[in-house]
Amino acid sequence: MDKLAIVVPCYNEEPMLKISSEALRGVLDDLVAKGKISPDSFVLFVNDGSKDRTWDLIEEEHKLYPKQVCGVKLAGNVGHQYALTAGLLTAKDMSDVTVSIDADLQDDVAVIEEMIDKFHAGCDIVYGVRRERKTDTFFKRTTAQGFYKMMDMMGVKTIYNHADFRLMSKRAVEQFSQYKETNLYLRGMMPLIGYQTDSVYYDRKERVAGESKYPLKKMLALAFNGISSLSVKPITLILGLGLLIIGISVLAALYALISYFTGHVVPGWTSLILSIWFLGGLQLLAIGLVGQYIGKIYIEVKHRPRYNIEKILQSEE
Ligand code: UDP
Ligand code: MG
């Protein structure tokens, strides 16, 4: 039977930890009782350099439930995406399948069972998708939705309204570990892995206790990181803009020449206006062109796996 590891990044989650632990242990007990996962499945709390008593509580829980609660202590605060990665890569060697979830229980733990069912049906990645964002503030909802739309325009494959609540099989995490890049935007990277995937839907709840660790500043940083680490399209946009402005400079040239010959201009204006448009366009074009090479270098240095083989069919000797 498959051993499940539930990976939970925690940063200053003192008010949440016991509640989380209890809820997630409940999920484990339930799934074990139903015979869906092995009895030695566990919750792995990753302490992301918390400044409060989060780690002490994780240790306490581990003492109380040595089999069901494990912990990883990071030496300092590295941020959600990195803490989650540390948890997944640690869990990979201890389990057959992982589910990542936030400590605040905003994501519905009840759909973990559905995720496991889909895993047993052959999925390697199952995305938890929010049905609607009723409980989010108007501000968070609109900014988040605008963000997903923009990512889409930038050519980054993301799952709409999916954050970091997802199931990954051992081999999916193993393939993920081949992505050696340092700038992580997990929800944009997982779709690159491939394999059979599916989604489960749930209503996002309010944080049970404690407060959000994602203020606007961190959200913007995450958004920018998401685009800049998965897409070189912004550079191509500059190239396009350069071409457009050179096009406009032709029109500006016509206009300037007509004005010149009809005699309505101050001396020197025609040559100035022509130079401004043409040189401006040329400069953007040049920057865009150089940018194309930088974009290529950027993609090369990531050393991402070039493909992921899912199956090989061959005759047996
Ligand atoms: N988190 C973390 N390191 C950080 C910030 C957040 O491990 O530097 C964890 C946090 O403990 C929580 C998850 O990331 O389990 C998501 O954070 P939060 O719920 O505050 O984000 P929100 O739901 O408000 O976007
Ligand atoms: Mg949250």
Side-chain angles (χ1 to χ4, degrees):
M1 219 179 302
D2 294 306
K3 187 170 170 185
L4 167 69
I6 302 183
V7 180
V8 192
C10 306
Y11 176 60
N12 294 350
E13 297 288 4
E14 188 180 320
M16 269 314 301
L17 203 100
K18 294 264 172 183
I19 309 173
S20 262
S21 168
E22 193 179 335
L24 293 171
R25 277 185 287 107
V27 171
L28 290 182
D29 289 338
D30 183 45
L31 290 174
V32 170
K34 286 180 178 157
K36 294 190 175 181
I37 55 171
S38 107
D40 48 2
S41 299
F42 61 98
V43 182
L44 182 71
F45 286 106
V46 182
N47 178 36
D48 183 16
S50 301
K51 296 188 186 73
D52 60 5
R53 289 187 56 250
T54 301
W55 179 249
D56 301 337
L57 294 180
I58 295 173
E59 278 181 332
E60 269 174 37
E61 284 293 290
H62 175 66
K63 267 197 202 104
L64 288 170
Y65 312 95
K67 276 196 171 154
Q68 277 191 314
V69 177
C70 303
V72 171
K73 186 181 188 193
L74 297 180
N77 179 249
V78 290
H80 178 214
Q81 302 285 296
Y82 298 92
L84 183 49
T85 304
L88 286 174
L89 297 187
T90 310
K92 158 175 84 82
D93 303 322
M94 302 152 71
S95 63
D96 304 304
V97 54
T98 63
V99 167
S100 55
I101 189 168
D102 289 350
D104 57 5
L105 299 182
Q106 282 189 286
D107 306 312
D108 192 358
V109 294
V111 299
I112 294 179
E113 178 170 0
E114 219 180 304
M115 287 179 161
I116 294 288
D117 290 342
K118 297 211 181 218
F119 166 68
H120 286 142
C123 287
D124 276 275
I125 304 179
V126 184
Y127 299 104
V129 176
R130 288 169 215 166
R131 221 178 262 128
E132 48 197 328
R133 288 173 166 265
K134 262 195 241 143
T135 53
D136 279 349
T137 59
F138 173 76
F139 178 73
K140 182 133 190 170
R141 191 168 59 225
T142 36
T143 47
Q145 276 169 351
F147 170 61
Y148 286 113
K149 297 244 162 69
M150 188 165 76
M151 291 298 279
D152 205 44
M153 269 162 44
M154 289 292 163
V156 179
K157 268 208 280 178
T158 42
I159 310 292
Y160 188 67
N161 264 346
H162 157 73
D164 285 304
F165 181 31
R166 77 177 84 75
L167 173 144
M168 292 177 80
S169 68
K170 190 187 182 95
R171 68 169 180 168
V173 182
E174 222 131 57
Q175 177 67 10
F176 164 66
S177 71
Q178 301 295 314
Y179 285 71
K180 305 287 186 201
E181 59 208 76
T182 309
N183 288 291
L184 294 178
Y185 182 67
L186 300 180
R187 63 196 85 161
M189 292 168 70
M190 299 315 178
L192 300 176
I193 293 174
Y195 288 138
Q196 192 179 329
T197 63
D198 207 340
S199 300
V200 296
Y201 298 86
Y202 65 96
D203 293 317
R204 189 156 156 103
K205 293 184 232 151
E206 292 205 51
R207 205 174 224 287
V208 177
E211 54 194 42
S212 173
K213 313 292 181 299
Y214 263 102
L216 182 64
K217 204 173 120 208
K218 269 199 203 166
M219 265 168 63
L220 287 177
L222 183 75
F224 183 71
N225 188 26
I227 294 170
S228 60
S229 57
L230 283 146
S231 168
V232 290
K233 212 161 178 175
I235 302 175
T236 313
L237 289 180
I238 293 178
L239 192 68
L241 194 66
L243 282 174
L244 182 77
I245 288 186
I246 287 191
I248 294 176
S249 86
V250 174
L251 296 180
L254 281 177
Y255 172 68
L257 287 176
I258 290 168
S259 307
Y260 178 74
F261 284 118
T262 51
H264 300 302
V265 293
V266 185
W269 176 80
T270 317
S271 50
L272 267 181
I273 210 74
L274 283 180
S275 323
I276 288 174
W277 277 97
F278 183 69
L279 280 180
L282 201 64
Q283 280 170 345
L284 276 179
L285 192 75
I287 293 173
L289 207 61
V290 174
Q292 290 297 310
Y293 287 94
I294 296 181
K296 289 254 174 350
I297 297 171
Y298 183 57
I299 289 171
E300 290 289 337
V301 295
K302 281 182 196 274
H303 272 287
R304 282 181 176 170
R306 281 168 288 189
Y307 48 77
N308 179 15
I309 294 178
E310 185 166 345
K311 251 182 213 155
I312 297 179
L313 283 182
Q314 60 177 6
S315 57
E316 275 159 42
E317 307 268 305

